[in-house]
Amino acid sequence: MAYNLSLQTEAILEIQEAFEWYEEQKEGLGYELLEEIEACYNNLKTHPERYSYINGFYRRIKTNRFPYILIYEIWGDDIIVNSVRHIKRKPYKS
């Protein structure tokens, strides 16, 4: 089953902020981050239940190369990405 994926405004803003920061560090690095996030989207669309819970409701998936997690929830056929957090700056509870 393929799921629909959407992003909350907070997640979009966090991605934009991270993109801009990485682009300031090195041209092209922000785009590499976006590719990692896109890979997470693709994994979520096909196997959203594969990833661990943060609590009884929200789940997380981590990017491979960058220190970010996508926090999401599943509602029927929909995946809602609530936030994209830098794991060293914005701690979360497991």
Side-chain angles (χ1 to χ4, degrees), residues 20-61:
E20 290 170 6
W21 189 86
Y22 279 107
E23 277 298 300
E24 287 176 7
Q25 305 312 301
K26 180 181 177 193
E27 187 174 333
L29 198 54
Y31 289 99
E32 292 177 29
L33 171 65
L34 294 181
E35 288 175 8
E36 288 267 334
I37 292 172
E38 185 68 31
C40 288
Y41 294 161
N42 292 333
N43 289 332
L44 288 176
K45 287 179 187 177
T46 55
H47 303 289
E49 295 176 349
R50 175 184 293 172
Y51 303 97
S52 60
Y53 280 100
I54 292 174
N55 58 30
F57 190 71
Y58 294 103
R59 295 175 182 258
R60 67 174 176 236
I61 181 174

Side-chain angles (χ1 to χ4, degrees), residues 7-24:
L7 282 79
Q8 295 286 1
T9 302
E10 179 181 353
I12 294 168
L13 295 174
E14 290 167 336
I15 292 168
Q16 288 174 337
E17 179 184 329
F19 172 82
E20 290 170 6
W21 189 86
Y22 279 107
E23 277 298 300
E24 287 176 7

Side-chain angles (χ1 to χ4, degrees), residues 51-80:
Y51 303 97
S52 60
Y53 280 100
I54 292 174
N55 58 30
F57 190 71
Y58 294 103
R59 295 175 182 258
R60 67 174 176 236
I61 181 174
K62 185 183 179 309
T63 58
N64 287 323
R65 184 171 161 212
F66 295 89
Y68 284 86
I69 58 170
L70 285 68
I71 298 173
Y72 67 97
E73 56 190 297
I74 304 169
W75 286 95
D77 294 345
D78 297 315
I79 299 165
I80 301 163

